[in-house]
Amino acid sequence: MKDALTILLRVAGAGLILLAGLHLPIGRHLKWREDAARLSPVNASTFHVHTFFICFVLVMMRLPCFSRVRRKERPTPNQR
């Protein structure tokens, strides 16, 4: 059971990195640069910061998936 959970967490982490990395080709395909040029400077800045924030959060969410957190197993009340 523990091995399956570890594998699933690593797959989820890899998916998050893939999704963050796909922002560049998706942005080119959807022509975000041309769309941002037509916006007011404040809206264009908000658009760029929000896109960066989404990529940053996706990368940061990956970290727990690949880290090895060791939990100290505490005995349950029945095991004492």
Side-chain angles (χ1 to χ4, degrees), residues 16-57:
L16 290 170
I17 288 296
L18 178 66
L19 188 59
L22 284 176
H23 270 74
L24 286 175
I26 288 173
R28 287 187 191 120
H29 179 71
L30 296 177
K31 299 178 183 163
W32 286 348
R33 186 169 293 178
E34 291 84 5
D35 288 342
R38 289 182 278 179
L39 296 173
S40 68
V42 172
N43 285 342
S45 295
T46 304
F47 178 77
H48 291 299
V49 168
H50 186 70
T51 303
F52 172 77
F53 175 75
I54 290 173
C55 288
F56 179 74
V57 168

Side-chain angles (χ1 to χ4, degrees), residues 1-9 71 73:
M1 176 73 175
K2 211 177 227 187
D3 294 330
L5 181 61
T6 302
I7 291 170
L8 289 174
L9 281 173
R71 291 188 313 159
E73 296 292 330

Side-chain angles (χ1 to χ4, degrees), residues 67-78:
S67 67
R68 290 190 175 262
V69 178
R70 293 182 186 215
R71 291 188 313 159
K72 188 174 186 178
E73 296 292 330
R74 290 187 282 168
T76 62
N78 295 336

